[in-house]
Amino acid sequence: KDDQAGWTPSPSPHTMVGTTSKKQKLSPGVEANVKACQNVLKALKKSHVSAPFAVPVDWKALTLPLYPKMIKHPMDLGTIEKKLLAGRYSAVSDFAADISLVWDNAQTFNSDGSEIYDAAAQLRELSDAQLSGVSPGPLSDGGGGGASGEQGPAGESRKRGRD
């Protein structure tokens, strides 16, 4: 009964048509754009000032009760990477908007001249320079740059209220 020789696995939901997964084969242009965006993230993470932006702000642990009142759409580099790998960005512009949102949030919440504010300014310059070398275009096949990705920097996740 333990002999599975005749057993054929059913298709994984990650390989089904219409789903997005890093295992799914992308068209060459989309694949090149995703790789370019991954390189932007890699360059940002290499910066010596990037650590505070790598994960979501834990405002409870940091005792920052005003954070959720001031920052309505939190974003961080780790979340961006997860979204990129999951195929949740329709276009490079959506990815770039989330990168910018990280710096906007940091500079909104922190005082001008503070360590975090200045780090965000430095990383904004780096990300702008890195993104200038990325061709605009799609980051997913099929779905196109639909309206949800163009409505705001957090894309469709904003509608669900998860970010």
Side-chain angles (χ1 to χ4, degrees):
K1 293 186 180 194
D2 290 330
D3 182 26
Q4 300 290 322
W7 178 76
T8 304
S10 59
S12 163
H14 297 292
T15 57
M16 300 293 282
V17 175
T19 62
T20 55
S21 168
K22 58 186 170 185
K23 294 180 182 178
Q24 186 175 0
K25 184 69 176 155
L26 299 172
S27 65
V30 170
E31 194 169 336
N33 289 345
V34 169
K35 181 81 168 147
C37 290
Q38 287 175 319
N39 289 338
V40 169
L41 285 172
K42 188 182 297 185
L44 292 170
K45 288 179 177 182
K46 281 184 180 179
S47 171
H48 69 283
V49 296
S50 68
F53 307 100
V55 296
V57 172
D58 186 349
W59 61 270
K60 289 180 183 177
L62 296 169
T63 59
L64 302 171
L66 292 178
Y67 190 82
K69 292 175 180 20
M70 293 177 66
I71 305 301
K72 299 301 180 191
H73 304 287
M75 188 52 60
D76 63 276
L77 299 176
T79 299
I80 292 170
E81 183 173 38
K82 287 176 189 169
K83 288 174 69 173
L84 180 64
L85 294 176
R88 290 183 53 204
Y89 290 114
S90 296
V92 172
S93 60
D94 300 329
F95 169 82
D98 267 1
I99 295 280
S100 183
L101 180 61
V102 175
W103 321 138
D104 292 345
N105 288 346
Q107 292 182 315
T108 296
F109 188 77
N110 296 279
S111 301
D112 189 356
S114 70
E115 189 175 335
I116 298 294
Y117 187 101
D118 291 346
Q122 184 177 339
L123 290 167
R124 184 187 302 274
E125 285 184 27
L126 177 59
S127 64
D128 288 350
Q130 291 288 319
L131 285 165
S132 70
V134 178
S135 299
L139 286 175
S140 63
D141 285 319
S148 66
E150 295 173 14
Q151 289 179 346
E156 58 187 291
S157 61
R158 176 178 283 189
K159 293 179 182 176
R160 287 186 231 138
R162 287 189 177 171
D163 292 337

